[in-house]
Amino acid sequence: MNAKRGKEREDFGRILFAVLITCKIFLLADAVESRKKAKQVADFYSGRSNQSREERESSPIIHLKKLNNWIKSVLIHLYVHKGDSVLDLACGKGGDLIKYDKANIGRYVGVDIAAGSIDDAMKRYNNRRQRLSFAAELFCGDCYEVDLERSIQGGFDVCSCQFALHYSWSTIERAERALDNVSRMLNPGGFFIGTMPDSNVIVQKLRAAQDLEFGNSVYNISFGEEHRTKRFPQATRFGIQYHFKLEDAVDCPEWLVFFPYFQSLAANYGLDLVLKLNFHDFVHKHIKDDHFIDLMRKLGALGDGSNGDTLSPDEWEAAYLYLVFVFKKRGEPGPRRQQNDRRRQWSMMKAEDIKKLVT
Ligand SMILES: C[S@@+](CC[C@H](N)C(=O)[O-])C[C@H]1O[C@@H](n2cnc3c(N)ncnc32)[C@H](O)[C@@H]1O
């Protein structure tokens, strides 16, 4: 009897061991796969060279790019204050550096996975003609994979993630790591501001499409056969990949971010929702403000109206694919701004000043 029980226990142990090993293999395979995808995204952005002014102006989505810049400028104007210290996650080529200079910030840290983009951000920062008023640090690495506290000293008033948070939704682990990093880097009362695709709009358009793809003259979105039902049950709310192509800007895999899940996950990390608006609603809301109309004119997003020089209907439809979000880190703000008043000044950066994130 005892021998039989002992044998049963042994068999059970063996089965449990086999199940655990299988799970581990699946998890490892998942991690390898998501790293491969992150590299694909990094290679795409790294390969995009800096454009000359003429090239930029002749882009088929020039007005959409200017509208995006206007939206980011308005967000920065609303949530970034003099002397603030700012963490720019997925900062790209440093396209927001001048916006932060206008906001008179005290400290800037930019992180991006694409080495080529970080290099361009350094060149933009070093540009002597537009010397910026703050000290900057740049890091290269995957900010949805590693613990940022191992490389960067926290205590930021604002964390910004523009057009990039959706790259963390390939797995729940990456999405959680992203939010954990944001939360731990921010001071209590600090703001997390960003822009990303609006999955509501994307799913609506997918369902209205005949097949698994839709778009217009400036963008195309396509889903794989596995999404033929066009239904996304609750259990599979991460890793829903589609391919996004935006003329002269994006051509890589992206992942749907279901906002209610994003909001509740963020709440688990002490980040409370302040604002969520589709780009169309954000534009309608802020275009009534004289200061922002003026900025829109200066940036030229709406062109001068002559010879069709304005945002095209297709660009406006592409803008509808995005939303703006703002979260606030729970807790009472401390005496943080005074510290930043004793700020360091601009100083030329060298390639060796770009640090790698500690993995
Ligand atoms: C559309 S660009 C936006 C760049 C910049 N935030 C802006 O608004 O101009 C997306 C950026 O996200 C970066 N990115 C994507 N995945 C990332 C990751 N895991 N860690 C850090 N950066 C990432 C890309 O390299 C790229 O520079």
Side-chain angles (χ1 to χ4, degrees):
M1 192 69 173
N2 271 351
K4 193 173 166 217
R5 243 193 230 134
K7 169 109 182 48
E8 276 172 4
R9 236 182 255 138
E10 226 173 71
D11 287 348
F12 178 72
R14 262 193 220 114
I15 291 168
L16 194 63
F17 183 70
V19 169
L20 286 176
I21 290 288
T22 314
C23 286
K24 185 130 181 110
I25 289 172
F26 274 123
L27 284 176
L28 278 176
D30 239 25
V32 168
E33 188 56 27
S34 72
R35 261 179 224 146
K36 221 163 81 187
K37 295 264 167 71
K39 184 167 179 320
Q40 195 181 339
V41 171
D43 287 347
F44 169 74
Y45 283 107
S46 241
R48 282 186 59 79
S49 57
N50 248 347
Q51 291 178 314
S52 66
R53 196 181 164 78
E54 290 71 39
E55 283 167 338
R56 272 204 304 276
E57 286 299 321
S58 63
S59 164
I61 58 156
I62 181 61
H63 294 104
L64 178 62
K65 286 183 177 176
K66 289 178 175 177
L67 184 76
N68 290 345
N69 273 322
W70 179 81
I71 288 173
K72 290 193 287 181
S73 299
V74 173
L75 255 184
I76 289 171
H77 184 88
L78 294 173
Y79 294 98
V80 181
H81 302 96
K82 183 169 185 250
D84 272 357
S85 90
V86 175
L87 174 63
D88 193 358
L89 290 185
C91 63
K93 297 169 184 293
D96 294 339
L97 281 167
I98 292 166
K99 300 180 189 73
Y100 287 118
D101 193 47
K102 295 212 166 95
N104 225 331
I105 65 166
R107 176 190 179 205
Y108 174 92
V109 176
V111 188
D112 203 283
I113 194 170
S117 300
I118 279 286
D119 205 49
D120 288 340
M122 180 190 73
K123 288 180 187 136
R124 187 166 284 176
Y125 178 77
N126 282 343
N127 184 346
R128 284 174 185 276
R129 272 187 303 144
Q130 274 177 311
R131 186 174 291 189
L132 308 174
S133 56
F134 51 85
E137 291 162 75
L138 295 173
F139 290 84
C140 188
D142 186 338
C143 55
Y144 310 140
E145 174 85 25
V146 308
D147 176 357
L148 290 185
E149 270 184 335
R150 298 187 61 192
S151 309
I152 301 170
Q153 194 194 337
F156 291 91
D157 304 306
V158 175
C159 174
S160 166
C161 187
Q162 304 298 338
F163 299 102
L165 196 80
H166 49 298
Y167 294 117
S168 73
W169 273 56
S170 53
T171 65
I172 185 163
E173 290 77 15
R174 286 173 70 78
E176 285 181 332
R177 168 62 77 197
L179 288 168
D180 191 36
N181 274 334
V182 170
S183 178
R184 283 201 279 145
M185 285 285 124
L186 274 178
N187 285 323
F191 288 107
F192 174 34
I193 60 175
T195 44
M196 68 177 171
D198 186 333
S199 63
N200 258 345
V201 172
I202 294 176
V203 171
Q204 248 176 42
K205 283 183 176 290
L206 171 67
R207 289 184 181 150
Q210 293 257 314
D211 205 356
L212 287 164
E213 107 178 77
F214 55 91
N216 64 25
S217 67
V218 298
Y219 83 89
N220 178 275
I221 291 182
S222 58
F223 282 78
E225 265 313 309
E226 65 280 20
H227 300 303
R228 176 64 59 197
T229 61
K230 304 185 180 181
R231 301 261 146 229
F232 303 101
Q234 292 203 1
T236 58
R237 292 270 157 130
F238 290 88
I240 298 175
Q241 187 187 318
Y242 56 91
H243 193 89
F244 186 53
K245 194 163 175 352
L246 178 64
E247 276 300 312
D248 189 35
V250 188
D251 189 0
C252 62
E254 299 201 342
W255 290 268
L256 289 181
V257 179
F258 291 96
F259 206 89
Y261 285 84
F262 173 45
Q263 186 182 342
S264 64
L265 200 61
N268 293 344
Y269 289 94
L271 300 164
D272 295 322
L273 184 68
V274 173
L275 172 92
K276 175 216 167 199
L277 277 180
N278 179 277
F279 270 20
H280 279 193
D281 299 324
F282 190 85
V283 171
H284 286 135
K285 181 170 175 195
H286 292 290
I287 196 70
K288 293 180 197 119
D289 182 317
D290 284 347
H291 176 76
F292 297 141
I293 297 177
D294 213 41
L295 183 64
M296 183 77 100
R297 246 183 244 122
K298 275 192 202 132
L299 287 174
L302 301 179
D304 61 9
S306 66
N307 301 324
D309 174 36
T310 186
L311 196 80
S312 70
D314 280 1
E315 284 173 284
W316 182 238
E317 188 193 325
Y320 187 46
L321 298 171
Y322 291 92
L323 59 78
V324 170
F325 64 80
V326 177
F327 288 83
K328 190 171 186 187
K329 167 95 179 274
R330 233 167 274 153
E332 281 304 307
R336 59 205 161 98
R337 300 230 157 83
Q338 285 158 10
Q339 284 173 16
N340 295 331
D341 280 345
R342 280 183 272 115
R343 53 182 145 148
R344 290 195 293 128
Q345 295 296 311
W346 178 92
S347 65
M348 176 78 85
M349 289 187 82
K350 297 185 281 307
E352 53 270 31
D353 295 330
I354 299 176
K355 300 178 197 100
K356 283 209 158 62
L357 288 179
V358 177
T359 52

